[in-house]
Amino acid sequence: MTGTTFREESADPRTQSLPLSHLSVELGHLYMEDFAAGPGRLREQFTRVKPWADAARVSLAGAAGVRRPRVSTCFLVDDYFTRFSSPAELMPMLLAEAKACGLTIDYLAREAGCAAADGVEPASLVEGRLVESPPVGSNGSRPAVREIGWLCNGERTPAAGGEAMSGATAWAAPVETGARRHSVFMDVELWDDGEGGRTWSCPFLAAVWQLLRLGLLRREGQPVLQAVPWGPERGAFPRDWDDLPPLVRLNASAAPFAAYGTFSVLPSRFLPVEHAVRLVLGQVALEEAVLRQTAERADREGFAVPPAVADRAAYAFYAEP
Amino acid sequence: MTGGGAGDGPEAFVCGEVRTCLLQTSASLPRAEAVRLLRLRSDEAVRFSERPNLYAVSPEVLTGVDCALPAATGSRVRAVGTVQARAVLTEGRVLQATARFSSPVSGPDRRLPWGHYLVRPGVVQPLGRLSVPDVAAGFLGARPAVPDRHAAATVDLGAIAERLLARVLGQPLLDRRAPFKSRRTMLRWFAVHAAAGQGPPTAEFTVAADGLRTLRISAAGLDAAEIAAFCEELALHDWLLTTLIRMIDRSRLGSTAGTEAVLALRPAVDHLLHLWMPGARTGAGPAPLWDGLERHPGFTRQWQTLVQRIRDQVALRAVPFRCQA
């Protein structure tokens, strides 16, 4: 071998790493109906969330033995499926109610930012990385099911009359891959394509949101969705959601947005959505370099990070009155 | 070293299938369009290099499989994992799709959660233990034409490569007017891990009657990516040679007088002759394999003979024109 090597920069990509907290705590997820119910609803929600958020911090220090836990909090506003109010109207109220309950919102994200933000489409990045868990017998000859926009955790019931000339097709039960004796089969709609283009489903955007919080998405090696500082010096909040960056940092001294793990405190009605999120997270093949960077950094800090990405998301579900 | 309970033992073999075809478009694609064509995922850039020739590589696309591995003896070992596929475009003219996977000799006894396989892109692990010679013989010997409907389906790398080609060729960027007729070629390859100290790597290249090419490689210190790149390059040159031979055949060179033959060969001069560059993309590991293939069957020798024939014809035809002028 000679010592000569020839390398062209464009043929050899690099992956950037992100600063990481230990935990990203989601304090809430605001939909139009919550907003319509008035500030009382927000106050109620924050009151319920507060003990859980505190517990997460305590548990981090206790169980993981982290001396100086880095915990950041975030709040998600749904401006993707329905547009309501405006940042100018909503933000002061939201921040005041959180403060009254003893909570600080470090970061605020717009759900539309999970679909498209700063010329990047996080949802389509994730879509491109979906690798279905193959049911037994998959030999590569079937087209990817992601072409139809549905993702499941096993094998579907065969379509009636699917095979020509086979006579009446007997119904067969769907099967969960790797089920413990009995199946919990789930089929998740990831998007639909209409005349106005593609609409991502709520569970899929929620999965993208988890991946963003886990700092695992990159586009051409560059981080996706960087937080834009938004302090009092910037004046009033804008009148249009589009004028607010998709991710803003409201607290100048906040720990990094992305974290080794996420913790979300949500009403029980989100349970099916988060089950779907888990299913999606289990079938996304993330960039090796990013996973390795995170694992190495956690290792240096002596912090345990589960290898499976789906296991990095934890929840507390509370009952609504 | 052992296979290990999690199936993370050393790779016993890596195998794949390459499909090579002419890009269905009238003019070869310039760099920017080549990059657009191969952008299979929005998060990862198309890699390209311009030396010694224009070469663009798509991001890898994974497909999950859980099926039997082929075996000559008919013993069916079930295996689970991901097959890695990519598309490669050389000089904006020749498109290739490769699907491949590597495998250890033994793996976990049962299928593990999918996340275990997702973090091992391009690795398919057997449930239990497999016999490498048996799988090699089954893989290289299997014919795509007559599938046995009753046997459990074995891993189909050809289908994955073919689907990728269709995805790339289906893009509106291409005008679908190829400058000449050509056929797709298929190369199926299987590289086994040889013990260290066994000397340089060896390769056995076979062209079967039905058009399927097979390549069996034995190399110490198997580098799956290097081997795959070598096989793509070999497939490219085999396709060039096959296409040129067919073109000369169709032009009826030597039996037709006048300029007909030369006109029929013109696309070769325009689109093919500058593509010949064996070894340009081969890494240090498999590089010695070219020496063997150049001795027998002697790719470059045959190519140069054909090219010389074409150039002589072109030169001969040029003479009378000049006299008339």
Side-chain angles (χ1 to χ4, degrees):
Chain A
M1 262 308 291
T2 63
T4 317
T5 55
F6 175 72
R7 208 160 67 190
E8 285 173 276
E9 194 59 32
S10 57
D12 194 13
R14 296 269 182 276
T15 305
Q16 253 192 36
S17 67
L18 274 182
L20 290 170
S21 290
H22 290 105
L23 193 67
S24 154
V25 178
E26 182 177 346
L27 300 175
H29 195 131
L30 192 74
Y31 284 94
M32 172 138 93
E33 58 264 32
D34 303 308
F35 173 74
R41 168 76 70 94
L42 273 175
R43 172 78 61 102
E44 201 179 283
Q45 188 175 334
F46 284 136
T47 312
R48 282 172 190 279
V49 167
K50 167 80 167 127
W52 293 107
D54 290 344
R57 200 180 285 264
V58 174
S59 138
L60 191 65
V66 178
R67 259 175 297 155
R68 299 184 60 193
R70 299 187 301 275
V71 178
S72 65
T73 61
C74 57
F75 193 91
L76 187 67
V77 177
D78 170 35
D79 65 331
Y80 184 72
F81 295 101
T82 45
R83 280 288 169 109
F84 58 94
S85 186
S86 71
E89 196 183 349
L90 181 82
M91 295 298 293
M93 178 176 101
L94 186 69
L95 295 176
E97 291 303 331
K99 197 174 174 189
C101 296
L103 290 168
T104 309
I105 298 177
D106 293 332
Y107 297 90
L108 181 118
R110 297 192 289 114
E111 191 154 357
C114 296
D118 314 325
V120 183
E121 296 183 350
S124 82
L125 302 189
V126 176
E127 185 232 317
R129 287 193 166 271
L130 285 175
V131 180
E132 288 177 81
S133 162
V136 180
S138 313
N139 71 337
S141 60
R142 260 190 277 195
V145 176
R146 68 166 186 261
E147 283 164 27
I148 61 170
W150 286 76
L151 189 69
C152 71
N153 62 351
E155 191 157 18
R156 297 180 173 91
T157 291
E163 263 181 69
M165 313 299 288
S166 63
T169 314
W171 183 83
V175 183
E176 179 191 357
T177 304
R180 297 189 170 213
R181 190 173 174 112
H182 296 105
S183 289
V184 180
F185 179 79
M186 189 181 208
D187 210 345
V188 182
E189 186 171 19
L190 304 182
W191 65 78
D192 62 57
D193 288 317
E195 281 172 17
R198 174 165 290 189
T199 306
W200 304 101
S201 72
C202 167
F204 191 64
L205 288 182
V208 175
W209 170 235
Q210 287 286 355
L211 290 169
L212 288 166
R213 288 168 68 197
L214 290 168
L216 295 174
L217 295 187
R218 298 287 186 282
R219 181 175 177 262
E220 299 187 7
Q222 301 295 311
V224 174
L225 203 67
Q226 302 266 50
V228 176
W230 198 286
E233 73 284 355
R234 292 198 65 155
F237 286 100
R239 305 223 142 265
D240 196 325
W241 287 108
D242 288 331
D243 297 330
L244 190 72
L247 180 66
V248 288
R249 194 179 74 210
L250 301 165
N251 171 11
S253 57
F257 169 71
Y260 293 127
T262 68
F263 180 63
S264 308
V265 190
L266 301 167
S268 310
R269 66 189 148 103
F270 283 99
L271 207 130
V273 173
E274 297 302 327
H275 181 190
V277 166
R278 207 178 148 78
L279 185 148
V280 173
L281 292 185
Q283 303 186 47
V284 179
L286 293 157
E287 209 179 306
E288 278 176 281
V290 180
L291 290 171
R292 201 177 46 241
Q293 278 172 1
T294 312
E296 283 171 1
R297 180 127 38 115
D299 215 36
R300 278 200 299 276
E301 287 198 68
F303 188 71
V305 174
V309 171
D311 294 339
R312 298 181 193 179
Y315 302 91
F317 291 102
Y318 61 87
E320 283 171 302
Chain B
M1 291 216 282
T2 64
D8 282 332
E11 283 172 3
F13 68 85
V14 49
C15 63
E17 189 159 331
V18 193
R19 303 268 163 127
T20 306
C21 69
L22 184 72
L23 192 68
Q24 300 296 308
T25 188
S26 44
S28 55
L29 285 196
R31 178 173 138 172
E33 291 188 5
V35 165
R36 247 171 72 205
L37 188 76
L38 296 187
R39 201 170 170 99
L40 300 178
R41 276 212 318 261
S42 54
D43 65 336
E44 213 173 297
V46 169
R47 292 186 301 129
F48 61 84
S49 76
E50 293 182 312
R51 300 191 189 178
N53 54 9
L54 184 64
Y55 171 83
V57 187
S58 78
E60 301 277 355
V61 178
L62 298 179
T63 306
V65 293
D66 177 346
C67 60
L69 291 176
T73 58
S75 73
R76 292 293 164 94
V77 176
R78 183 179 156 199
V80 186
T82 57
V83 172
Q84 203 167 22
R86 67 177 193 174
V88 169
L89 186 64
T90 305
E91 285 290 341
R93 191 27 94 194
V94 185
L95 180 67
Q96 296 179 287
T98 301
R100 69 168 159 107
F101 69 86
S102 58
S103 175
V105 134
S106 66
D109 299 335
R110 54 185 180 82
R111 176 168 162 169
L112 298 177
W114 185 233
H116 167 85
Y117 302 101
L118 278 184
V119 294
R120 292 162 177 81
V123 175
V124 170
Q125 297 177 339
L127 301 195
R129 208 177 165 78
L130 55 79
S131 148
V132 177
D134 196 19
V135 174
F139 184 75
L140 295 179
R143 286 288 173 276
V146 263
D148 179 359
R149 282 176 61 97
H150 301 288
T154 56
V155 64
D156 191 348
L157 297 183
I160 296 173
E162 203 60 46
R163 205 161 53 237
L164 187 58
L165 274 189
R167 187 170 157 192
V168 173
L169 290 172
Q171 294 187 45
L173 191 64
L174 307 174
D175 65 17
R176 288 187 185 72
R177 290 203 312 263
F180 56 91
K181 279 190 188 164
S182 64
R183 277 192 224 162
R184 273 181 202 189
T185 56
M186 295 181 264
L187 169 69
R188 198 174 284 171
W189 53 271
F190 194 99
V192 293
H193 188 71
Q198 294 257 306
T202 58
E204 196 181 308
F205 182 66
T206 313
V207 180
D210 58 4
L212 178 72
R213 277 87 168 131
T214 62
L215 181 71
R216 186 195 293 260
I217 296 174
S218 168
L222 214 56
D223 180 331
E226 259 191 2
I227 299 268
F230 164 76
C231 293
E232 266 165 9
E233 209 179 351
L234 176 65
L236 169 73
H237 288 86
D238 172 62
W239 179 87
L240 284 172
L241 200 49
T242 308
T243 307
L244 196 63
I245 291 170
R246 278 213 193 108
M247 207 183 261
I248 288 177
D249 212 32
R250 271 202 309 268
S251 75
R252 302 182 58 225
L253 192 68
S255 60
T256 318
T259 52
E260 251 174 74
V262 171
L263 283 177
L265 288 170
R266 199 187 148 149
V269 180
D270 288 343
H271 300 281
L272 295 183
L273 298 193
H274 61 290
L275 298 181
W276 192 262
M277 223 177 272
R281 303 275 165 200
T282 301
L289 292 174
W290 277 112
D291 303 338
L293 290 164
E294 288 294 12
R295 269 196 305 279
H296 183 79
F299 279 121
T300 299
R301 195 165 49 222
Q302 189 177 6
W303 176 264
Q304 276 166 353
T305 309
L306 295 173
V307 169
Q308 199 52 52
R309 248 188 108 189
I310 294 175
R311 293 215 166 117
D312 288 348
Q313 283 296 320
V314 173
L316 272 177
R317 295 301 154 206
V319 176
F321 293 146
R322 202 173 294 152
C323 292
Q324 282 161 14

